[in-house]
Amino acid sequence: MSFSNDVRNEISTSVNDKDRRFACLYGMLLFCRTLSREHICFQSESRVSAELFSNLFEAVFKYRPAAGEHIRRNGAVLYNCEVEGENAEAVFQKYRLADGARVIDSEIIATNSLGVFTAGVFLACGSVNDPAKEYHLEFACPDEGLASQLVVLLNDIGATAKTMLRRGQNIVYIKGSESIEDTLTFIGASQCTLELMNMKIYKDIRNKANRIANCDAANIDKVVKAAMKQIEDIKLIDKAVGIESLSEELREVAQLRLENTDMSLQEIGENLSEPISRSGVNHRFQKLAKMADELRNGGSIK
């Protein structure tokens, strides 16, 4: 089951009284595919949305729409709910709908029903991506005017909504995770909001773990390269003059490095006969490196 269907299932269970049914059905009607005095057609690929539309319509108008199914070329099932004639006219009268223009009538919806109305809009034309993949919620609106009105409504609740035209269709979309969380909570999908928040926390932790792992890997590579360079210098000195010719402090770190290629500078310092700090060990290796460079340049060790 998709995340969009989780949202639809959750908000459908919250439409449980007369006022909420009226407000939710208003959103579904206003944003449905076809809306005229002669013919109303609600279409959705979601069985949940289609069944809720029929149930709400029957509860409000005491009439059950004609239902049907159509299988698309891609195999998806499209559910249809149709209302015609005097029943369609009754919808226009009850919701004070205008001919030829779809307008959100704020007077119809009490302030505490705006969220349920918007839930109806989501059931009619909304979808939200799986938060494990990306943060994206959108409404495929039936016309430009409704899209503009919906943007205002969403921005009023604190969400950052924008519009775009996709293949001739007016899309209202939200990208930010916090704006999507606000929207889902507003339309009554609080459990899905928590799921999104948990996924965001999981992704943040995973990203931090990956950054730490990458940093650790980079540090390991750096240590290994430094150790190989030190061994190369020591072997060059040994071949030229012998390690025994070195001072006791340089000879001891050189031998420890040759015997322990994976030791860090700090570990070498701790294993000396007289332990010293990491910087002290590094200073001794710098001396050995300088000697090796002099030998490479044809000089001799002073």
Side-chain angles (χ1 to χ4, degrees):
M1 184 179 290
S2 70
F3 190 67
S4 284
N5 279 333
D6 290 343
V7 174
R8 294 186 188 103
N9 280 320
E10 184 176 357
I11 61 181
S12 66
T13 61
S14 67
V15 186
N16 49 19
D17 63 37
K18 182 178 179 180
D19 290 340
R20 295 172 74 84
R21 292 187 188 101
F22 184 82
C24 187
L25 181 60
Y26 181 42
M28 298 179 84
L29 284 164
L30 201 58
F31 283 77
C32 72
R33 179 183 177 183
T34 304
L35 183 65
S36 72
R37 290 184 181 274
E38 296 78 30
H39 182 222
I40 296 171
C41 179
F42 179 88
Q43 285 189 337
S44 176
E45 290 187 359
S46 166
R47 181 187 292 274
V48 172
S49 293
E51 289 181 350
L52 183 63
F53 178 84
S54 292
N55 292 338
L56 293 179
F57 198 93
E58 186 174 22
V60 174
F61 291 98
K62 311 306 177 187
Y63 168 82
R64 193 163 186 85
E69 298 179 6
H70 172 71
I71 300 178
R72 290 178 165 174
R73 291 182 179 178
N74 61 4
V77 179
L78 188 65
Y79 300 95
N80 298 306
C81 300
E82 297 186 85
V83 180
E84 297 182 338
E86 61 182 18
N87 293 306
E89 175 64 30
V91 171
F92 271 70
Q93 294 295 329
K94 196 172 189 70
Y95 284 109
R96 303 206 303 264
L97 300 175
D99 290 321
R102 304 196 194 194
V103 179
I104 299 175
D105 189 341
S106 58
E107 292 182 4
I108 292 179
I109 310 168
T111 303
N112 60 358
S113 295
L114 280 174
V116 189
F117 165 77
T118 311
V121 176
F122 182 88
L123 291 165
C125 63
S127 64
V128 57
N129 286 25
D130 183 346
K133 298 177 181 177
E134 66 172 329
Y135 302 123
H136 181 88
L137 185 152
E138 71 176 40
F139 300 86
C141 301
D143 66 41
E144 185 178 358
L146 274 183
S148 299
Q149 295 170 65
L150 183 59
V151 166
V152 173
L153 188 156
L154 293 170
N155 287 341
D156 283 345
I157 68 167
T160 303
K162 298 180 180 180
T163 60
M164 66 177 174
L165 198 63
R166 182 200 296 150
R167 296 191 292 274
Q169 192 165 35
N170 294 279
I171 305 295
V172 173
Y173 68 94
I174 301 171
K175 283 288 188 183
S177 61
E178 291 185 1
S179 288
I180 294 175
E181 290 165 12
D182 290 342
T183 304
L184 292 179
T185 301
F186 184 63
I187 65 177
S190 56
Q191 289 301 313
C192 288
T193 301
L194 291 175
E195 185 178 339
L196 189 152
M197 294 171 71
N198 287 337
M199 178 55 66
K200 185 166 67 172
I201 292 171
Y202 168 77
K203 288 167 73 172
D204 287 344
I205 292 173
R206 184 184 62 188
N207 290 337
K208 287 178 182 178
N210 286 338
R211 286 195 295 271
I212 291 171
N214 291 337
C215 182
D216 287 345
N219 288 337
I220 290 171
D221 287 344
K222 185 177 180 181
V223 169
V224 169
K225 288 179 181 178
M228 295 305 293
K229 175 62 168 59
Q230 291 157 4
I231 291 169
E232 181 184 326
D233 290 342
I234 293 166
K235 287 183 175 180
L236 177 61
I237 293 170
D238 187 33
K239 183 177 181 181
V241 298
I243 292 180
E244 296 77 10
S245 65
L246 297 174
S247 64
E248 183 178 350
E249 64 178 26
L250 293 181
R251 183 170 65 251
E252 191 175 7
V253 295
Q255 288 173 335
L256 270 174
R257 171 52 78 206
L258 290 175
E259 295 167 1
N260 303 276
T261 58
D262 59 345
M263 263 193 181
S264 66
L265 297 184
Q266 183 175 342
E267 289 172 330
I268 289 176
E270 292 170 350
N271 282 275
L272 293 172
S273 56
E274 293 185 11
I276 60 174
S277 67
R278 179 186 180 282
S279 61
V281 175
N282 186 52
H283 180 66
R284 293 185 185 184
F285 277 123
Q286 286 177 349
K287 286 185 177 181
L288 290 170
K290 185 176 180 180
M291 292 178 182
D293 287 342
E294 289 177 351
L295 290 172
R296 290 188 184 95
N297 293 328
S300 59
I301 297 176
K302 299 178 182 179

